[in-house]
Amino acid sequence: MTQLYATGQQAKHIELGLSDEQAVEMYKIMITARRFDERVLLLQRAGKVNFHVSGIGQEVAQVAAAFALDKEQDYFLPYYRDYGFVISVGMTLRELFLSVYAKEEDPNSGGRQMPGHFGHKKLRIVTGSSPVTTQVPHAVGIALAAKMKKKPLVSFVTFGEGSSNQGDFHEGCNFAGVQKLPVIIMCENNQYAISVPVRKQLAANVADRAIGYGFPGFQVDGNDALEVFRVVKEARSRAIAGEGPTLIEAMMYRLSPHSTSDNDLAYRTKEEVEEYRAKDGIPKYKQYLIDCGLWNEELDEALQKEIRTQLDEANEYAEKAPFPTPESSLLHVYADDSEQGGRQ
């Protein structure tokens, strides 16, 4: 049972509509995503995988946003750091490792895309491409279709603050605003566009740009799980009510290098990273659960052990799985004759 605070008020997650079980599940997924990320970094350094783009430091906002959405109806267009998000909406560790190793069973692309280019038809995760922010117009198109078909769903898209300067972002936002489409556009502002700090990228906040497109923009602490949940939940309610898009800028910090090909200490100091590590939202959310009487160190130790076992099993399976065959290179390139009346 949720513990009440000294003021007599309910715990915040209950006020926001999250059950105790959901609040705990959010933490479990945050830790799972963090440990997966750390494991893949080790695999890359050991020479077992070629490349990895890390999302360490960004899991809190990703998981919280996912829990504010409808996992049975909404469409998701994440960007390449969103491990916490895709696990939250249903991707398994086995599926993620299959992508890391570029194996034929990989549900994202059959081992044909770069790691982190998520795609899962069953889960309505729409595959992305390497050019950054091209997923924003795609999300807007899905929202347009939902509006035309009068379907009660939203599309949800994420990207980094560096790519918010790309034309695809502006064109997508403008069209969504004109048409009042049910789309939530969330920038994960992790302070760096590879090596370029945010002060050299933006003259103002990303969220402030929303006013020019005719819809609300909100800046939120991306290390505060429940505040991110609240803002995304309200944005979804607005969209379903026909009130149009919302732009959300979740402020966070990338604790790991941009990728395994990046030397982050060439453009930032260890002291800066440690300063932001102290603000990491995962330990803060863990303490919140402890304060609510929902968690303790014994449970945490058991969780860490369980996740290590899951990672070991998923990694072992993916490592042994077959690579794509030359014959499979043309799969999904052509439409099925029987369905389309001829190849396209």
Side-chain angles (χ1 to χ4, degrees), residues 51-322:
F51 182 72
H52 179 59
V53 179
S54 176
I56 294 176
Q58 302 183 211
E59 305 95 339
V60 169
Q62 295 168 4
V63 174
F67 271 72
L69 300 168
D70 188 332
K71 299 169 189 174
E72 302 300 323
Q73 295 193 79
D74 295 341
Y75 281 77
F76 313 116
L77 296 93
Y79 91 125
Y80 48 77
R81 299 189 195 279
D82 281 356
Y83 302 105
F85 184 88
V86 297
I87 293 172
S88 296
V89 299
M91 284 196 73
T92 67
L93 289 174
R94 177 180 289 189
E95 290 172 332
L96 289 177
F97 274 114
L98 286 165
S99 176
V100 165
Y101 283 105
K103 295 303 181 75
E104 190 166 11
E105 289 180 62
D106 164 34
N108 298 281
S109 66
R112 299 290 176 179
Q113 271 270 37
M114 292 176 64
H117 288 60
F118 307 109
H120 200 298
K121 186 175 182 179
K122 181 180 178 181
L123 300 175
R124 295 169 312 288
I125 300 173
V126 181
T127 187
S129 60
S130 294
V132 295
T133 320
T134 53
Q135 67 269 28
V136 174
H138 298 163
V140 170
I142 291 169
L144 175 63
K147 182 177 180 179
M148 292 173 66
K149 295 180 179 180
K150 296 181 171 56
K151 291 189 174 181
L153 60 86
V154 305
S155 61
F156 177 83
V157 60
T158 58
F159 49 93
E161 85 288 345
S163 63
S164 72
N165 300 315
Q166 298 290 110
D168 285 314
F169 167 78
H170 297 288
E171 292 175 27
C173 286
N174 185 66
F175 189 83
V178 170
Q179 301 293 331
K180 297 190 71 171
L181 299 179
V183 56
I184 301 171
I185 304 163
M186 190 172 95
C187 172
E188 296 183 27
N189 188 335
N190 66 14
Q191 311 298 310
Y192 282 95
I194 306 183
S195 62
V196 182
V198 70
R199 68 179 183 277
K200 294 185 178 181
Q201 302 175 47
L202 306 169
N205 297 327
V206 173
D208 292 341
R209 294 171 170 174
I211 191 171
Y213 304 124
F215 54 83
F218 301 96
Q219 189 179 81
V220 62
D221 181 359
N223 288 313
D224 186 334
L226 297 181
E227 189 62 9
V228 174
F229 175 86
R230 181 188 68 80
V231 172
V232 176
K233 182 180 180 181
E234 290 178 359
R236 188 180 190 279
S237 295
R238 288 188 65 257
I240 294 297
E243 298 175 19
T246 302
L247 175 61
I248 300 168
E249 181 182 16
M251 305 301 294
M252 56 188 68
Y253 189 84
R254 168 168 55 79
L255 293 171
S256 50
H258 167 75
S259 71
T260 49
S261 62
D262 172 44
N263 176 17
D264 63 316
L265 295 182
Y267 55 83
R268 62 184 185 179
T269 65
K270 290 182 179 179
E271 291 75 17
E272 178 184 305
V273 177
E274 290 308 310
E275 176 188 346
Y276 278 96
R277 194 180 302 278
K279 302 174 183 178
D280 184 4
I282 292 182
K284 291 180 181 179
Y285 187 64
K286 172 186 172 182
Q287 187 59 51
Y288 168 82
L289 294 177
I290 292 173
D291 292 344
C292 289
L294 299 175
W295 201 248
N296 57 49
E297 292 300 336
E298 184 178 352
L299 289 171
D300 205 73
E301 184 177 343
L303 173 64
Q304 302 285 354
K305 183 177 180 180
E306 179 184 352
I307 291 172
R308 284 195 296 271
T309 300
Q310 292 173 352
L311 289 170
D312 290 343
E313 292 173 350
N315 178 64
E316 182 180 2
Y317 178 89
E319 193 171 8
K320 293 179 179 178

